[in-house]
Amino acid sequence: MQRSTGLLLVTALSLTATACGSGGEPATPSASGAKAVTITVACQPAKSAPKERQAWDDDVATFMKEHPGVTVKSTDQQPCFDPKTFGPKLAGGQMETAFVVPVTNYNDVISKGQALDITPYTSSIKNWNDLRADHKELVTKDGKVYGIPNVHYSVGLVYNRALFTQAGLDPNNPPKTWAEVREAAKKIAALGTGYVGYGEYSGGNTGGWHFTQAIYGRGGDILTPDNKKAAFNSPEGKAVLQTLHDMRWVDNSMGTKLLVGWESLMVAMGSGKVGMMLGAPDVVTDVVNKFKGKVDDYGITGFPEAKASLSGGEAFMINPKATPEEAKAALEWVDFRFNTVGKGRFDFARGKSIGNPVGVPDNAVFGDSATGQAIQADRVKNASLPVTNYDSYVQAAGTIPPKAEPLYAQELYAILDVAMSGVLSRKDANIDELLTDAETKANSVLAAKG
């Protein structure tokens, strides 16, 4: 599922070919007579995040100055990936020159010829050799490269340390089991009207996404090993829904609002009245940057009782209609903005100066390479928050096995939304029926896919 680019995670694609301008004047051809090109690029921060948007626009201006003859136009719909519009816009050839693809869609996009073979242009990525080999393999087919890995993450438990303190809980000893999550959630909800101990999604494909996170953590699966049948109608799947049902209707610790879509829970977390949610480290970044949360209030710990943790990510791909000049310019932009130490998203000094939560850990696509080490050192140097708030997550991430999102993830998430919505909206919800119905629908989708 989507995470924001700079996370996570989750930023969205505006999928029109003629997007709003990025804030710079069109560039002129270089003195060497290089052909002038115009490229469209995804992931400009929204107007609701003015400081981050200005930083982006400043980067566009700098990039165009350093690359005479290149004009960059940005799209600003957030988040970068919208599962409802991605497929139709991609099929219609309306994507930007450089666009974001979640890991679950790599194979589909590549196999349908909807991404350019960029093998001849990888030299435009200065740190290409420092990107993790396992992530580069995901965007490679038959020896040809179709994307630049941009984000990698694993899921933990994000929590509000300030609310833990208010509720008499130890913020330095966050829950390690689901029983402890339930107890903590009840105490936070008891703080008063509007307080929610544990937040969860019920729609917009995010409900099914979080169901997947939870069932993986319990050791279950979404699909059988051959990807031919649904596997979530299992004891682990029932445990996920039963726990949520009991927290909602027995403990009254989940509030009364159904949260549909990525932003809904993030807004609630940013309000300072939600105690816990599942998420990767970029959740903290987005809650602070986009939804006005207080940076010192948040921490993240390992997934409760985790037998595995959902691992996902995204890559930049290039529109197959791009000319060689456009492709090269787009890749140089991606390199500048997303892959260079001390610049773009890794300009931690700038991030700190505009109030971003610098210091949040992530499982970077550069791993422990020289580039990865340099990025991490700069992140710690410019940290604007206590990095100890994330120590337990870092420790857990190194020991919990990662597990990729299932094949046909978006279709399956939409089906599982119904089960999530069912237990969170109806006290008398029949969990067995919800899972059986979802299983039947999932198997029909899988049969149709062949």
Side-chain angles (χ1 to χ4, degrees):
M1 188 69 180
Q2 165 306 110
R3 312 298 304 169
S4 70
T5 50
L7 191 83
L8 283 36
L9 189 328
V10 256
T11 49
L13 293 173
S14 165
L15 302 172
T16 54
T18 55
C20 66
S22 64
E25 292 298 322
T28 58
S30 67
S32 63
K35 184 177 179 180
V37 296
T38 297
I39 59 172
T40 52
V41 298
C43 300
Q44 181 185 31
K47 293 178 181 178
S48 58
K51 292 182 180 179
E52 289 72 30
R53 188 182 179 93
Q54 184 61 56
W56 172 284
D57 290 348
D58 289 345
D59 285 343
V60 168
T62 299
F63 176 80
M64 290 198 300
K65 183 177 180 180
E66 294 179 359
H67 296 77
V70 178
T71 297
V72 176
K73 293 185 177 181
S74 309
T75 58
D76 64 354
Q77 180 183 343
Q78 292 287 324
C80 268
F81 173 74
D82 183 346
K84 294 181 179 179
T85 59
F86 180 80
K89 294 294 185 179
L90 185 66
Q94 295 178 297
M95 302 298 267
E96 296 92 344
T97 316
F99 60 97
V100 168
V101 181
V103 66
T104 49
N105 295 68
Y106 290 177
N107 289 337
D108 190 50
V109 171
I110 294 170
S111 65
K112 291 180 179 178
Q114 294 167 324
L116 184 71
D117 172 11
I118 62 170
T119 309
Y121 309 108
T122 54
S123 60
S124 297
I125 307 302
K126 293 188 294 292
N127 297 319
W128 176 257
N129 291 333
D130 276 0
L131 286 163
R132 283 175 47 170
D134 53 350
H135 293 309
K136 288 193 288 188
E137 288 175 6
L138 295 175
V139 293
T140 302
K141 183 177 182 179
D142 299 329
K144 297 179 180 179
V145 179
Y146 292 90
I148 307 164
N150 186 55
V151 168
H152 173 68
Y153 68 88
S154 62
V155 172
L157 182 71
V158 179
Y159 66 104
N160 188 311
R161 294 172 58 88
L163 288 186
F164 266 56
T165 299
Q166 291 178 41
L169 300 162
D170 182 1
N172 294 318
N173 187 29
K176 298 179 178 63
T177 68
W178 281 106
E180 291 175 354
V181 169
R182 286 187 66 177
E183 287 304 309
K186 286 191 288 187
K187 290 181 179 180
I188 291 169
L191 290 173
T193 302
Y195 286 91
V196 174
Y198 182 83
E200 190 51 279
Y201 292 111
S202 63
N205 286 28
T206 50
W209 179 39
H210 273 213
F211 176 91
T212 301
Q213 295 178 9
I215 196 173
Y216 280 4
R218 292 178 182 271
D221 287 291
I222 295 297
L223 298 178
T224 54
D226 61 4
N227 294 319
K228 298 294 185 182
K229 295 286 185 179
F232 53 75
N233 189 2
S234 62
E236 294 85 3
K238 292 175 184 178
V240 171
L241 295 185
Q242 190 66 57
T243 296
L244 292 174
H245 176 276
D246 292 348
M247 291 177 74
R248 169 69 178 91
W249 301 106
V250 178
D251 301 345
N252 295 312
S253 64
M254 295 188 67
T256 59
K257 293 182 179 180
L258 287 177
L259 301 173
V260 177
W262 174 80
E263 283 196 355
S264 58
L265 182 50
M266 305 292 279
V267 169
M269 181 63 78
S271 74
K273 288 194 171 183
V274 175
M276 294 171 284
M277 66 174 284
L278 299 182
D282 66 311
V283 165
V284 177
T285 304
D286 284 343
V287 164
V288 172
N289 287 352
K290 301 176 182 178
F291 306 110
K292 313 306 180 185
K294 296 181 180 178
V295 66
D296 290 338
D297 286 354
Y298 301 98
I300 182 169
T301 189
F303 199 100
E305 304 178 50
K307 296 180 180 178
S309 178
L310 178 67
S311 176
E314 66 188 30
F316 272 100
M317 294 188 180
I318 303 300
N319 194 313
K321 295 180 180 180
T323 65
E325 293 82 8
E326 290 167 348
K328 185 174 184 295
L331 289 170
E332 287 174 345
W333 160 255
V334 172
D335 186 54
F336 172 83
R337 171 69 190 185
F338 298 99
N339 283 347
T340 303
V341 179
K343 292 186 178 181
R345 66 164 167 168
F346 294 130
D347 188 345
F348 297 119
R350 178 178 65 185
K352 182 177 182 179
S353 72
I354 63 177
N356 285 355
V358 178
V360 175
D362 60 45
N363 294 324
V365 291
F366 287 104
D368 197 39
S369 66
T371 299
Q373 291 180 30
I375 290 169
Q376 179 61 14
D378 206 24
R379 178 185 285 117
V380 171
K381 175 183 176 182
N382 291 285
S384 61
L385 48 78
V387 293
T388 55
N389 286 8
Y390 310 96
D391 281 349
S392 58
Y393 170 83
V394 173
Q395 293 167 6
T399 60
I400 300 173
K403 194 167 185 175
E405 291 183 273
L407 196 64
Y408 313 122
Q410 300 306 325
E411 294 96 324
L412 295 171
Y413 292 167
I415 291 169
L416 290 165
D417 274 351
V418 179
M420 293 287 279
S421 177
V423 297
L424 295 175
S425 64
R426 302 197 308 273
K427 188 175 183 178
D428 62 350
N430 186 311
I431 291 174
D432 287 334
E433 289 181 0
L434 288 169
L435 285 174
T436 298
D437 182 58
E439 180 183 33
T440 299
K441 292 177 179 177
N443 284 337
S444 293
V445 168
L446 294 169
K449 296 286 188 180

